[in-house]
Amino acid sequence: MLLTGLGLGIALGFAMQRGRFCVTGAFRDLWVTGNTRWLTAFLIVIAVQSVGVFTLDAVGVISLSSSAFPWLATVLGAFLFGFAIVLAGGYATGTYYRAGEGLVGSWLALIFYALFSAISKTGVLATGVSGLRSVTVEASTVHGLLGVSPWLLIAVLVTAVVLLARHHLRKRPGARLATLPPRKRGIARLLFEKQWGAFTTALVIDALAILAWPLSWATGREAGLGITGPSSNIVNYLVSGDAEVIDWGVYLVIGILTGAFIAAKGSGEFRIRIPDVVTTVRSIAGGALMGIGASLAGGCTIGNAMVNTASFQLQGWVAFGFMILGTGAATRLFITGPSKARSARNAAAREGSGQGAAAPGSPSKTAPGHSTARASVRR
């Protein structure tokens, strides 16, 4: 059954790489251009997954539970994580799939993310992390705090997301970029050459995120998608040789890396890219801070902002908000700055009118020193 984690991870890594599903770009766009298209795609994942998760709970396939909310560690860790993903050039899962594309900067970020996740969970930082996470309040879920049915919250969330998606779908598209004639046909063209839309990619990820719950539970791991814990477990296994830490989640993250490599290789986007010195330093620092931040917050953009939000855990929604704030702070410091904010907004306005528009589905701005890894002209 553990191999189901590998299979689902391969599919998830493939979908994220082909769809350019960049949560860092979604958060960053809010501060750089005010564009909410990719954030809406992320909210689609949360909303649809929420319907699936509570349905699985209702029919007895899984049993959702909650514990006291570690508010202080969540706030500090989520803000730190949001700040770090700008430095690292990608969030946790994004770092895995970009590593599969051949970005050496992402390799470094991934290594230090996993290393500092382990240090924070079971190493020298574990006592401090545990101490901060022991500061809790009894409230644990949004519906429990409000005293309402979770299905009421699901209805509100789904309605809001449908309206946001409709807003973006009704926008007049900008000018199309010239493209070369297709080189592949049939399913090969769909998988490796045709561009995936933001909302289509979100729905594919939704199906995989919902499926992750029963597959993971069948192995005794009572959770959905998660990246930080499995990354930490890989380091602990390499250090101690303890095979007990190799669970469904470890197979999942190995699968994400594998699936991203398959997608990048098949689409001609795999290429070893060596970063400059500044990007190297930022990748290492960003990866380390991501590991610490995710351990404090109890999860990354996947485990917290995508999965815990779907079950309406307070930790998930508070982490979601503070990750966006942390991303905003780093964006202001490293990307826009006071003198660049106006020019960024002007550029966004030109894109909206079709002048110099970016390729559809691509985040409007890349992380400092990192390539979007999308070739403008395919060979």
Side-chain angles (χ1 to χ4, degrees):
M1 289 298 291
L2 290 179
L3 289 179
T4 62
L6 181 66
L8 191 138
I10 290 172
L12 183 62
F14 189 99
M16 286 187 160
Q17 196 284 328
R18 291 294 299 122
R20 313 305 301 166
F21 196 83
C22 181
V23 180
T24 304
F27 291 177
R28 207 169 47 225
D29 280 353
L30 285 175
W31 303 102
V32 177
T33 66
N35 191 309
T36 60
R37 184 177 184 83
W38 279 97
L39 181 63
T40 299
F42 189 72
L43 290 171
I44 288 173
V45 176
I46 296 173
V48 176
Q49 185 186 184
S50 188
V51 174
V53 167
F54 279 97
T55 300
L56 290 172
D57 178 66
V59 300
V61 175
I62 64 174
S63 179
L64 294 176
S65 61
S66 57
S67 56
F69 170 39
W71 66 271
L72 180 58
T74 300
V75 168
L76 295 175
F79 186 89
L80 180 61
F81 185 88
F83 190 94
I85 62 178
V86 175
L87 279 176
Y91 65 115
T93 313
T95 302
Y96 269 94
Y97 89 65
R98 286 198 173 96
E101 294 175 346
L103 274 69
V104 175
S106 292
W107 297 356
L108 295 172
L110 181 58
I111 290 169
F112 280 86
Y113 164 64
L115 177 61
F116 275 81
S117 295
I119 291 173
S120 300
K121 287 177 173 293
T122 57
V124 295
L125 297 179
T127 300
V129 170
S130 298
L132 286 170
R133 287 191 62 79
S134 68
V135 181
T136 62
V137 293
E138 287 304 313
S140 58
T141 64
V142 179
H143 49 283
L145 181 65
L146 298 177
V148 299
S149 167
W151 289 102
L152 175 61
L153 298 181
I154 291 171
V156 172
L157 178 60
V158 169
T159 300
V161 169
V162 167
L163 292 175
L164 277 171
R166 182 186 176 193
H167 164 72
H168 285 289
L169 290 172
R170 292 179 68 177
K171 281 185 176 180
R172 189 175 72 177
R176 291 181 176 274
L177 295 177
T179 58
L180 295 175
R183 295 183 296 112
K184 295 180 172 64
R185 296 179 181 275
I187 190 68
R189 181 170 184 266
L190 176 64
L191 291 177
F192 294 108
E193 192 172 53
K194 189 174 176 60
Q195 195 169 65
W196 292 27
F199 298 164
T200 300
T201 304
L203 292 174
V204 172
I205 292 171
D206 260 320
L208 297 172
I210 294 170
L211 183 60
W213 286 88
L215 292 180
S216 177
W217 275 62
T219 67
R221 178 181 174 273
E222 298 183 353
L225 295 177
I227 307 299
T228 305
S231 300
S232 171
N233 287 345
I234 291 174
V235 174
N236 287 327
Y237 172 72
L238 294 175
V239 171
S240 67
D242 182 10
E244 292 294 318
V245 300
I246 303 298
D247 61 2
W248 188 90
V250 170
Y251 280 89
L252 172 74
V253 295
I254 293 173
I256 291 172
L257 190 63
T258 305
F261 171 76
I262 293 171
K265 197 71 175 173
S267 61
E269 294 172 2
F270 179 85
R271 182 166 57 87
I272 301 297
R273 278 151 286 190
I274 309 296
D276 58 28
V277 174
V278 173
T279 302
T280 298
V281 172
R282 285 179 172 176
S283 296
I284 292 172
L289 293 176
M290 279 169 58
I292 297 170
S295 298
L296 277 170
C300 61
T301 40
I302 299 298
N304 255 336
M306 182 186 290
V307 174
N308 284 338
T309 49
S311 57
F312 289 102
Q313 299 290 317
L314 276 172
Q315 175 179 290
W317 283 101
V318 170
F320 188 13
F322 277 90
M323 284 176 186
I324 292 175
L325 290 176
T327 300
T331 298
R332 180 75 169 177
L333 183 61
F334 297 112
I335 299 177
T336 59
S339 63
K340 297 180 181 178
R342 182 175 297 177
S343 61
R345 287 193 294 270
N346 291 339
R350 287 194 298 272
E351 288 182 6
S353 64
Q355 301 175 30
S362 298
S364 64
K365 191 171 184 73
T366 58
H370 281 252
S371 166
T372 59
R374 176 69 73 190
S376 59
V377 178
R378 301 185 187 280
R379 291 183 175 84

